Amino acid sequence: MKEAMIQAAWTEAETESTAASVASAQTLQLARRYQVLIADDEPIIREGIRDALDWEALGMEVACEAEDGEEALELAVQFGIDILLVDMNMPFLNGIDLIRRLQDECPDCRCLIISGHDEFAYAQEAVRLGVEDYILKPVDAERLHAALMRLKQRMDEERRRTAYVKQAADQIERNIPLLRQRFCLEWLEGRAEGKDLTEQLAFLRLPPDPPVQIGVVRWPAAEARQSLMRENDRQLFLFAVENIIGELLGDLPHVLFRDPNGLIGFCLWQAAPEELDCTIEQQISACLNIAVHAHVEQNTGALEDVPSAYRLCRELIYGEARLSPLVRRARQIIHEGYADRELTLESLASRLQVSSVYLSRVLKKELNDTFVTLVTHARIRKAVQLLDSTSLPIHSIAERVGYDTQHYFSTAFKKVMGISPAQYRKDGGTGQSASADRV
């Protein structure tokens, strides 16, 4: 899965441009000459090595020389030495001990031993320390040149590989939002089943827990076959819709994605403010003058259950298409004005410029609920949220959701939830009572 997402990032982000950037980075890297330090206690040896080779042709430069091990260690760290040519027998710090110290203080430095001792113990320890080559004195220029050429080829290859990996990592980092969108779409559509979801969430730096809410926004006009809208305009509107949703979600941890048909979905790892679906519809209508359907579904299942929540959300949003604009508007007004004690069937019908008899009939036909039931459920839903999230006394909650008395509120609450508000709170709220699903 991870490899597929990485490949997608490269494909979507103009691979040719990226390849050019990698090549440019590699060229700059390879253009820098390797810095060489010659460490030997005999000046004539150091001079002979320095003068024996065409360092520029090797892509190298003798940056400094040292006559003992301690000086060599200090200079290697100071100059960021790439290659150390070191004698085994030097004052203060011998070659083997110097190499050991460099592994800690200058781990990228490559070492090549030049020694007057053809001893197996030296060679064995040199191999264990990862020394690149072991050359005996007197130094043969051709052999030293060949050893350095082999070393340069290995280091050049490593530089190229490092530059490519860094560029790939940078490219992936820039495309993390795209990778998240692709992953969430595949996950919610059930195409990520059987794969390590936890690993993918970690790779994309998303929370390890399942989203607490799944949302879907649908723009029916964009799906109509008779639509005369140009594809460019359709894409611009969808992009604008995504931007508005993103602004409304703000800093809440979320991922927005779009399926090939233009349906916009989102995963929320922190609960959004109530009535988010209504807010989305209103904001998009006000800003873009288009009508969209939005629905947000709570998710309480495990990671593997997220696709089921998304399917339910999608089914409900397509079910919205069967509702008339009148019913949708009536339901929206009820969701917004449930706390208004003056909200009646007659006042709602007057606001919608239809008769109360007709409004009652279409509500029952399309929603299979009466006006009173819709208002009651809206009020109880809000009451449940307040009972779960606040310590307000029950009489205050009753007033906030539109009831004149605590007794009337408690009666309505028990009728819908099966228990009284006081018992609901005592039981620990939604975490302890399945009755909360009724609203």
XYZ file of all heavy atoms in Angstrom, residues 39-127:
692
model
N 47.473 11.719 6.911
C 47.995 11.670 8.279
C 49.165 10.694 8.341
O 48.980 9.478 8.189
C 46.894 11.252 9.248
N 50.371 11.246 8.556
C 51.587 10.432 8.675
C 52.608 11.255 9.446
O 52.709 12.473 9.243
C 52.117 10.054 7.280
C 53.115 8.902 7.341
O 54.201 9.098 7.925
O 52.789 7.829 6.803
N 53.364 10.597 10.307
C 54.330 11.352 11.118
C 55.589 11.698 10.348
O 56.456 12.427 10.856
C 54.670 10.585 12.394
C 55.271 9.215 12.122
O 55.075 8.700 10.994
O 55.925 8.658 13.007
N 55.732 11.215 9.115
C 56.915 11.518 8.312
C 56.540 12.525 7.218
O 55.749 12.212 6.320
C 57.465 10.256 7.669
C 57.935 9.215 8.687
C 58.556 8.004 8.004
O 59.446 8.216 7.137
O 58.137 6.873 8.306
N 57.119 13.733 7.275
C 56.785 14.763 6.275
C 57.065 14.329 4.849
O 56.301 14.645 3.940
C 57.686 15.946 6.675
C 57.990 15.720 8.126
C 58.050 14.231 8.294
N 58.126 13.563 4.646
C 58.472 13.161 3.289
C 57.429 12.218 2.695
O 57.167 12.236 1.486
C 59.884 12.500 3.265
C 60.366 12.350 1.806
C 59.883 11.153 3.995
C 61.829 11.943 1.701
N 56.823 11.391 3.583
C 55.762 10.480 3.131
C 54.533 11.293 2.735
O 53.909 11.055 1.683
C 55.392 9.464 4.219
C 56.598 8.576 4.560
C 54.198 8.614 3.775
C 57.029 7.682 3.426
N 54.187 12.253 3.596
C 53.017 13.091 3.294
C 53.224 13.838 1.979
O 52.309 13.908 1.136
C 52.761 14.096 4.424
C 52.451 13.449 5.773
C 51.778 14.436 6.715
N 52.553 15.641 6.932
C 53.496 15.782 7.870
N 53.781 14.760 8.677
N 54.146 16.916 8.020
N 54.401 14.377 1.820
C 54.689 15.141 0.593
C 54.650 14.236 -0.629
O 54.127 14.607 -1.690
C 56.064 15.801 0.711
C 56.449 16.666 -0.480
C 57.807 17.303 -0.319
O 58.338 17.337 0.813
O 58.355 17.790 -1.333
N 55.221 13.038 -0.482
C 55.246 12.111 -1.603
C 53.836 11.721 -2.049
O 53.551 11.657 -3.255
N 52.959 11.446 -1.081
C 51.576 11.090 -1.415
C 50.868 12.275 -2.069
O 50.145 12.122 -3.057
C 50.818 10.637 -0.145
C 51.398 9.315 0.372
C 49.321 10.484 -0.434
C 50.824 8.883 1.711
N 51.070 13.472 -1.505
C 50.407 14.663 -2.037
C 50.818 14.940 -3.480
O 49.989 15.328 -4.319
C 50.724 15.859 -1.150
C 49.953 17.125 -1.534
C 50.321 18.290 -0.634
N 51.695 18.710 -0.812
C 52.650 18.703 0.118
N 52.350 18.287 1.336
N 53.872 19.103 -0.148
N 52.108 14.724 -3.798
C 52.610 15.075 -5.121
C 52.496 13.944 -6.131
O 52.724 14.160 -7.328
C 54.086 15.502 -5.028
C 54.266 16.768 -4.202
O 53.255 17.512 -4.032
O 55.383 17.021 -3.731
N 52.138 12.750 -5.668
C 52.151 11.590 -6.564
C 50.910 11.529 -7.451
O 50.935 10.853 -8.492
C 52.266 10.304 -5.747
N 49.838 12.215 -7.079
C 48.571 12.037 -7.787
C 48.028 13.356 -8.305
O 48.302 14.432 -7.765
C 47.524 11.397 -6.858
C 47.881 10.032 -6.262
C 46.794 9.609 -5.297
C 48.068 8.992 -7.357
N 47.224 13.234 -9.376
C 46.461 14.383 -9.893
C 45.119 14.389 -9.151
O 44.139 13.770 -9.580
C 46.262 14.232 -11.405
C 45.556 15.447 -12.011
O 45.062 16.309 -11.236
O 45.482 15.531 -13.251
N 45.069 15.072 -8.023
C 43.891 15.049 -7.157
C 42.660 15.651 -7.836
O 41.533 15.185 -7.651
C 44.177 15.786 -5.845
C 45.254 15.121 -5.043
C 46.578 15.459 -4.991
C 45.094 13.970 -4.210
N 47.259 14.606 -4.173
C 46.371 13.679 -3.671
C 44.013 13.169 -3.858
C 46.579 12.614 -2.796
C 44.212 12.128 -2.989
C 45.487 11.840 -2.462
N 42.906 16.687 -8.639
C 41.775 17.318 -9.330
C 41.098 16.355 -10.280
O 39.865 16.304 -10.379
C 42.246 18.571 -10.067
C 41.112 19.341 -10.721
C 41.601 20.640 -11.358
O 42.773 21.003 -11.155
O 40.798 21.273 -12.068
N 41.904 15.563 -11.000
C 41.342 14.582 -11.921
C 40.557 13.512 -11.172
O 39.604 12.935 -11.713
C 42.461 13.936 -12.743
N 40.935 13.256 -9.939
C 40.221 12.282 -9.120
C 38.938 12.864 -8.516
O 38.165 12.139 -7.895
C 41.121 11.795 -7.975
C 42.185 10.742 -8.320
C 43.168 10.591 -7.170
C 41.520 9.403 -8.623
N 38.741 14.174 -8.674
C 37.588 14.810 -8.033
C 37.816 14.995 -6.546
O 36.858 15.019 -5.762
N 39.090 15.130 -6.156
C 39.457 15.246 -4.748
C 40.364 16.445 -4.530
O 40.898 17.049 -5.467
C 40.160 13.962 -4.260
C 39.331 12.700 -4.420
S 40.230 11.218 -3.916
C 39.078 9.932 -4.395
N 40.530 16.784 -3.260
C 41.376 17.914 -2.890
C 41.996 17.624 -1.528
O 41.293 17.241 -0.590
C 40.530 19.185 -2.818
C 41.296 20.415 -2.377
C 40.403 21.638 -2.272
O 39.191 21.534 -2.591
O 40.895 22.696 -1.859
N 43.328 17.755 -1.445
C 44.005 17.572 -0.165
C 43.737 18.810 0.677
O 44.306 19.875 0.447
C 45.517 17.330 -0.341
C 46.188 17.197 1.029
C 45.766 16.082 -1.181
N 42.865 18.680 1.649
C 42.451 19.827 2.458
C 43.453 20.137 3.546
O 43.655 21.308 3.895
C 41.082 19.548 3.087
N 44.116 19.105 4.110
C 45.056 19.335 5.201
C 45.883 18.083 5.442
O 45.595 17.008 4.913
C 44.323 19.738 6.480
S 42.912 18.683 6.887
N 46.931 18.261 6.267
C 47.818 17.163 6.627
C 48.004 17.168 8.133
O 47.875 18.209 8.788
C 49.175 17.304 5.926
C 49.069 17.314 4.405
C 50.419 17.585 3.741
O 51.448 17.478 4.450
O 50.441 17.902 2.531
N 48.318 15.981 8.683
C 48.532 15.866 10.126
C 49.717 14.951 10.376
O 49.934 13.974 9.661
C 47.289 15.321 10.800
N 50.464 15.280 11.469
C 51.660 14.492 11.774
C 51.464 13.559 12.970
O 52.365 12.813 13.328
C 52.851 15.406 12.025
C 52.670 16.358 13.181
C 53.876 17.293 13.335
O 54.695 17.391 12.404
O 53.970 17.922 14.394
N 50.281 13.629 13.587
C 49.987 12.675 14.659
C 48.481 12.423 14.684
O 47.682 13.148 14.079
C 50.487 13.176 16.014
C 49.845 14.473 16.459
O 48.611 14.467 16.686
O 50.547 15.500 16.577
N 48.087 11.397 15.441
C 46.689 10.980 15.454
C 45.744 12.003 16.050
O 44.619 12.182 15.553
N 46.139 12.673 17.112
C 45.264 13.648 17.743
C 44.998 14.832 16.827
O 43.870 15.333 16.726
C 45.870 14.123 19.067
C 45.806 13.076 20.165
C 46.249 13.633 21.505
O 46.730 14.785 21.542
O 46.126 12.917 22.517
N 46.059 15.294 16.146
C 45.877 16.401 15.199
C 44.974 15.961 14.054
O 44.108 16.735 13.590
C 47.230 16.852 14.657
C 47.130 18.035 13.696
C 48.465 18.402 13.059
O 49.399 17.575 13.079
O 48.555 19.535 12.510
N 45.161 14.739 13.589
C 44.335 14.226 12.492
C 42.865 14.196 12.890
O 41.976 14.571 12.104
C 44.812 12.827 12.092
N 42.589 13.759 14.112
C 41.196 13.698 14.580
C 40.586 15.099 14.620
O 39.461 15.318 14.158
C 41.146 13.056 15.968
C 39.760 12.980 16.627
C 38.825 12.111 15.788
C 39.876 12.432 18.037
N 41.341 16.047 15.160
C 40.844 17.425 15.258
C 40.575 18.024 13.885
O 39.525 18.646 13.652
C 41.860 18.273 16.022
C 41.440 19.721 16.206
C 42.488 20.529 16.956
O 43.311 19.940 17.678
O 42.470 21.768 16.805
N 41.503 17.820 12.926
C 41.339 18.384 11.582
C 40.209 17.700 10.814
O 39.478 18.354 10.060
C 42.656 18.258 10.804
C 43.805 19.137 11.295
C 45.093 18.784 10.558
C 43.477 20.619 11.096
N 40.067 16.401 11.005
C 39.006 15.667 10.292
C 37.634 16.203 10.682
O 36.757 16.394 9.825
C 39.109 14.171 10.597
N 37.440 16.451 11.967
C 36.167 16.984 12.437
C 35.996 18.430 11.983
O 34.922 18.835 11.529
C 36.065 16.880 13.978
C 34.803 17.569 14.484
C 36.081 15.418 14.412
N 37.058 19.219 12.084
C 36.989 20.649 11.749
C 36.664 20.878 10.272
O 35.827 21.726 9.930
C 38.311 21.327 12.099
C 38.379 22.806 11.736
C 39.750 23.418 12.020
O 40.561 22.834 12.744
N 40.013 24.578 11.464
N 37.278 20.108 9.391
C 37.119 20.333 7.951
C 36.066 19.415 7.310
O 35.812 19.511 6.116
C 38.458 20.138 7.224
C 39.445 21.260 7.456
C 40.359 21.187 8.494
C 39.435 22.394 6.662
C 41.277 22.214 8.719
C 40.339 23.430 6.877
C 41.257 23.346 7.917
N 35.470 18.547 8.094
C 34.483 17.631 7.521
C 35.110 16.744 6.467
O 34.608 16.634 5.342
N 36.192 16.102 6.823
C 36.974 15.322 5.869
C 36.171 14.126 5.353
O 35.461 13.452 6.100
C 38.286 14.834 6.543
C 39.203 16.026 6.822
C 38.994 13.798 5.682
C 39.603 16.803 5.579
N 36.268 13.891 4.034
C 35.585 12.763 3.402
C 36.452 11.512 3.368
O 35.953 10.396 3.525
C 35.188 13.126 1.965
C 34.249 14.319 1.909
O 33.179 14.265 2.539
O 34.590 15.313 1.229
N 37.765 11.699 3.117
C 38.677 10.567 2.959
C 39.915 10.805 3.819
O 40.535 11.878 3.761
C 39.092 10.390 1.484
C 37.854 10.140 0.607
C 40.092 9.250 1.332
C 38.146 10.169 -0.890
N 40.277 9.800 4.599
C 41.472 9.882 5.441
C 42.471 8.832 4.972
O 42.163 7.635 4.932
C 41.101 9.627 6.907
C 42.272 9.445 7.873
C 43.082 10.741 7.993
C 41.794 8.982 9.246
N 43.698 9.301 4.599
C 44.809 8.401 4.314
C 45.655 8.381 5.577
O 46.249 9.401 5.943
C 45.624 8.886 3.114
C 44.847 9.126 1.804
C 45.787 9.580 0.704
C 44.113 7.861 1.380
N 45.734 7.249 6.256
C 46.309 7.239 7.601
C 47.369 6.160 7.765
O 47.200 5.020 7.331
C 45.188 7.072 8.654
C 44.395 5.804 8.421
C 45.744 7.112 10.067
N 48.471 6.561 8.417
C 49.524 5.621 8.777
C 49.129 4.926 10.073
O 48.427 5.491 10.912
C 50.843 6.379 8.956
C 51.995 5.450 9.284
O 51.924 4.263 8.918
O 52.945 5.917 9.936
N 49.588 3.683 10.243
C 49.221 2.947 11.443
C 49.977 3.445 12.665
O 49.416 3.569 13.754
C 49.506 1.453 11.252
C 48.471 0.727 10.414
S 46.870 0.561 11.243
C 46.041 2.027 10.679
N 51.261 3.697 12.513
C 52.086 4.067 13.662
C 52.328 5.560 13.687
O 53.193 6.087 12.974
C 53.438 3.322 13.610
C 53.253 1.825 13.774
O 52.522 1.389 14.650
N 53.904 1.056 12.912
N 51.545 6.256 14.530
C 51.703 7.701 14.701
C 51.708 8.019 16.188
O 51.154 7.263 17.004
C 50.549 8.449 14.026
C 50.575 8.399 12.519
S 49.329 9.504 11.812
C 47.825 8.806 12.471
N 52.334 9.132 16.555
C 52.379 9.499 17.975
C 50.989 9.822 18.519
O 50.092 10.211 17.781
C 53.276 10.753 17.984
C 54.005 10.745 16.686
C 53.107 10.070 15.713
N 50.826 9.674 19.844
C 49.657 10.071 20.638
C 48.410 9.205 20.366
O 47.728 8.800 21.287
C 49.309 11.558 20.413
C 50.462 12.471 20.652
C 50.947 13.290 19.649
C 51.089 12.524 21.899
C 52.011 14.137 19.872
C 52.168 13.378 22.120
C 52.639 14.178 21.113
N 48.135 8.973 19.085
C 46.935 8.204 18.748
C 47.239 7.416 17.482
O 47.421 8.000 16.407
C 45.743 9.149 18.514
C 44.332 8.544 18.476
C 43.957 7.971 19.839
C 43.326 9.618 18.064
N 47.361 6.091 17.606
C 47.735 5.324 16.421
C 46.571 5.231 15.428
O 45.444 5.644 15.725
C 48.257 3.930 16.800
C 47.179 3.049 17.421
O 46.025 3.066 16.996
N 47.576 2.253 18.424
N 46.866 4.675 14.254
C 45.871 4.665 13.178
C 44.585 3.944 13.536
O 43.485 4.422 13.242
N 44.704 2.760 14.166
C 43.502 1.992 14.515
C 42.647 2.753 15.519
O 41.420 2.855 15.368
C 43.893 0.605 15.078
C 44.527 -0.261 13.971
C 42.668 -0.085 15.675
C 43.581 -0.640 12.858
N 43.276 3.323 16.552
C 42.515 4.081 17.554
C 41.891 5.333 16.934
O 40.773 5.735 17.293
C 43.422 4.474 18.719
C 43.813 3.271 19.570
O 43.056 2.263 19.518
O 44.851 3.324 20.256
N 42.614 5.957 16.003
C 42.068 7.135 15.315
C 40.810 6.764 14.525
O 39.796 7.482 14.566
C 43.135 7.721 14.373
C 42.660 8.820 13.404
C 42.101 10.017 14.166
C 43.811 9.235 12.475
N 40.871 5.652 13.816
C 39.705 5.221 13.024
C 38.512 4.931 13.933
O 37.370 5.282 13.616
C 40.075 3.985 12.175
C 41.112 4.390 11.102
C 38.834 3.384 11.508
C 41.740 3.214 10.374
N 38.799 4.301 15.084
C 37.709 4.031 16.028
C 37.048 5.337 16.480
O 35.818 5.444 16.554
C 38.246 3.278 17.249
C 38.606 1.836 16.989
C 38.698 1.074 18.306
N 39.237 -0.271 18.125
C 40.495 -0.620 18.369
N 41.362 0.279 18.821
N 40.891 -1.855 18.182
N 37.846 6.349 16.801
C 37.319 7.636 17.261
C 36.528 8.323 16.150
O 35.478 8.938 16.396
C 38.465 8.544 17.715
C 39.203 8.084 18.963
C 38.427 8.453 20.221
N 38.243 9.878 20.355
C 39.156 10.709 20.907
N 40.320 10.218 21.371
N 38.899 11.997 21.026
N 37.008 8.196 14.922
C 36.336 8.846 13.795
C 34.956 8.233 13.534
O 34.048 8.921 13.065
C 37.189 8.745 12.528
C 38.328 9.747 12.399
C 39.182 9.423 11.179
C 37.789 11.169 12.291
N 34.814 6.948 13.836
C 33.511 6.322 13.631
C 32.424 6.990 14.474
O 31.263 7.015 14.095
C 33.596 4.827 13.968
C 34.341 4.025 12.917
C 34.381 2.546 13.216
O 34.270 2.120 14.376
N 34.561 1.726 12.181
N 32.832 7.551 15.616
C 31.877 8.248 16.474
C 31.753 9.722 16.122
O 30.649 10.274 16.111
C 32.289 8.118 17.950
C 32.201 6.686 18.447
O 31.315 5.957 17.966
O 33.023 6.299 19.298
N 32.880 10.369 15.850
C 32.894 11.820 15.675
C 32.771 12.272 14.223
O 32.379 13.408 13.961
C 34.173 12.413 16.303
C 34.280 12.111 17.792
C 35.434 12.854 18.446
O 35.650 14.033 18.084
O 36.120 12.266 19.302
N 33.114 11.412 13.296
C 33.016 11.772 11.880
C 32.627 10.508 11.103
O 33.413 9.977 10.311
C 34.382 12.314 11.411
S 34.309 13.333 9.929
N 31.411 10.009 11.325
C 31.029 8.675 10.821
C 31.019 8.534 9.308
O 31.099 7.424 8.796
C 29.619 8.479 11.402
C 29.122 9.868 11.693
C 30.320 10.663 12.060
N 30.914 9.635 8.568
C 30.876 9.539 7.105
C 32.269 9.513 6.475
O 32.393 9.369 5.253
C 30.089 10.721 6.526
C 28.620 10.657 6.911
O 28.105 9.539 7.090
O 27.993 11.724 7.038
N 33.290 9.691 7.282
C 34.662 9.712 6.758
C 35.102 8.304 6.369
O 34.947 7.355 7.143
C 35.600 10.304 7.820
S 37.311 10.441 7.270
N 35.649 8.166 5.149
C 36.163 6.877 4.675
C 37.675 6.824 4.934
O 38.380 7.815 4.716
C 35.906 6.711 3.177
C 34.447 6.867 2.783
C 33.579 5.795 3.427
N 32.214 5.841 2.921
C 31.791 5.199 1.842
N 32.623 4.470 1.138
N 30.523 5.284 1.474
N 38.159 5.662 5.359
C 39.566 5.535 5.741
C 40.301 4.535 4.841
O 39.779 3.463 4.533
C 39.681 5.091 7.196
S 38.934 6.258 8.362
N 41.503 4.942 4.484
C 42.383 4.094 3.679
C 43.723 4.052 4.395
O 44.343 5.091 4.626
C 42.516 4.656 2.264
C 43.167 3.771 1.195
C 42.624 4.147 -0.176
C 44.681 3.921 1.199
N 44.171 2.848 4.780
C 45.389 2.708 5.580
C 46.613 2.614 4.673
O 46.625 1.891 3.674
C 45.308 1.463 6.484
C 44.237 1.673 7.562
C 46.661 1.149 7.111
C 44.001 0.462 8.432
N 47.646 3.362 5.067
C 48.955 3.266 4.407
C 49.951 2.920 5.512
O 50.157 3.698 6.437
C 49.348 4.590 3.736
C 48.346 4.896 2.613
C 50.758 4.521 3.192
C 48.578 6.225 1.947
N 50.524 1.732 5.430
C 51.340 1.257 6.544
C 52.605 0.585 6.059
O 52.651 0.019 4.955
C 50.523 0.272 7.394
O 51.311 -0.276 8.420
N 53.609 0.631 6.920
C 54.867 -0.058 6.622
C 54.891 -1.446 7.215
O 55.901 -2.142 7.124
N 53.788 -1.860 7.819
C 53.728 -3.161 8.495
C 52.732 -4.067 7.791
O 51.552 -3.773 7.727
C 53.313 -2.995 9.950
C 54.266 -2.147 10.736
N 55.400 -2.647 11.332
C 54.250 -0.814 11.000
C 56.052 -1.666 11.939
N 55.365 -0.538 11.748
N 53.268 -5.181 7.262
C 52.403 -6.164 6.612
C 52.034 -7.223 7.649
O 52.511 -8.355 7.607
C 53.137 -6.790 5.419
C 52.217 -7.727 4.642
O 50.994 -7.707 4.917
O 52.721 -8.451 3.766
N 51.209 -6.811 8.610
C 50.852 -7.710 9.694
C 49.376 -8.098 9.588
O 48.505 -7.254 9.370
C 51.103 -7.041 11.048
C 52.579 -6.746 11.296
C 52.815 -6.166 12.684
O 51.856 -6.225 13.500
O 53.925 -5.679 12.938
N 49.119 -9.384 9.786
C 47.754 -9.891 9.651
C 46.814 -9.259 10.682
O 45.667 -8.973 10.382
C 47.757 -11.420 9.806
C 46.389 -12.025 9.745
C 45.700 -12.117 8.533
C 45.754 -12.477 10.898
C 44.442 -12.667 8.465
C 44.480 -13.017 10.838
C 43.832 -13.118 9.619
N 47.318 -9.033 11.893
C 46.478 -8.475 12.956
C 45.980 -7.081 12.563
O 44.817 -6.737 12.798
C 47.250 -8.401 14.264
N 46.879 -6.262 11.979
C 46.478 -4.936 11.525
C 45.383 -5.045 10.450
O 44.360 -4.358 10.488
C 47.682 -4.189 10.937
C 48.498 -3.441 11.952
C 49.891 -3.586 11.974
C 47.897 -2.576 12.876
C 50.664 -2.899 12.897
C 48.664 -1.893 13.801
C 50.045 -2.053 13.812
O 50.801 -1.369 14.716
N 45.642 -5.887 9.468
C 44.698 -6.032 8.360
C 43.349 -6.553 8.851
O 42.280 -6.098 8.412
C 45.273 -6.989 7.308
N 43.384 -7.501 9.787
C 42.152 -8.064 10.322
C 41.325 -6.998 11.049
O 40.113 -6.895 10.869
C 42.500 -9.213 11.272
C 41.297 -10.025 11.737
C 41.719 -11.156 12.641
O 42.590 -10.984 13.506
N 41.125 -12.331 12.437
N 41.996 -6.186 11.887
C 41.300 -5.128 12.602
C 40.793 -4.053 11.644
O 39.701 -3.503 11.831
C 42.235 -4.499 13.641
C 41.617 -3.416 14.502
C 40.481 -3.928 15.382
O 40.307 -5.160 15.494
O 39.769 -3.094 15.963
N 41.572 -3.775 10.602
C 41.162 -2.786 9.604
C 39.883 -3.224 8.901
O 38.971 -2.415 8.677
C 42.287 -2.575 8.586
N 39.798 -4.499 8.554
C 38.593 -5.019 7.905
C 37.395 -4.897 8.844
O 36.295 -4.506 8.439
C 38.806 -6.486 7.480
C 37.479 -7.124 7.051
C 39.817 -6.565 6.344
